[in-house]
Amino acid sequence: MYVDFDLPNAVNEFHSAFKKMQSEMDCQTLKFTLDGRLLGDIAEALVAKHFGLTLCERRVRGVDAYSGNKSVQIKATQFSDKGPRF
């Protein structure tokens, strides 16, 4: 069952920013879901673009992208005082 209620303005702004990020990242293979994959998908999109990697078309355990014939696993973390690191 779902209950409709007004969300705090910060949540609405976050959702708008999230939708804009999805559009600007332009990565069809990443979902940028808000369930914990968000930071990882952001990392994959940015690192792949920066280093010219090819993202996997399907999820493969331990492999996020390819550089030529070499597989690459991209890691991300979040520091409270410095923001995300990839």
Side-chain angles (χ1 to χ4, degrees):
M1 174 172 48
Y2 293 97
V3 178
D4 288 332
F5 57 91
D6 292 330
L7 296 173
N9 193 40
V11 173
N12 290 323
E13 289 174 1
F14 179 76
H15 187 261
S16 294
F18 167 74
K19 297 303 272 182
K20 184 177 179 183
M21 181 199 61
Q22 279 183 312
S23 174
E24 288 181 7
M25 290 291 195
D26 191 33
C27 292
Q28 308 330 318
T29 61
L30 303 174
K31 294 181 173 54
F32 301 99
T33 58
L34 298 175
D35 63 359
R37 284 184 40 183
L38 180 60
L39 184 59
D41 283 354
I42 291 170
E44 289 178 27
L46 293 175
V47 170
K49 184 175 182 177
H50 182 78
F51 291 103
L53 304 175
T54 302
L55 291 170
C56 293
E57 292 183 17
R58 289 183 289 161
R59 291 280 182 202
V60 177
R61 187 175 191 92
V63 179
D64 298 312
Y66 290 94
S67 176
N69 62 352
K70 294 184 181 188
S71 64
V72 177
Q73 186 175 33
I74 300 167
K75 294 291 186 184
T77 191
Q78 173 83 24
F79 293 109
S80 60
D81 60 336
K82 297 178 185 170
R85 294 290 182 259
F86 313 117

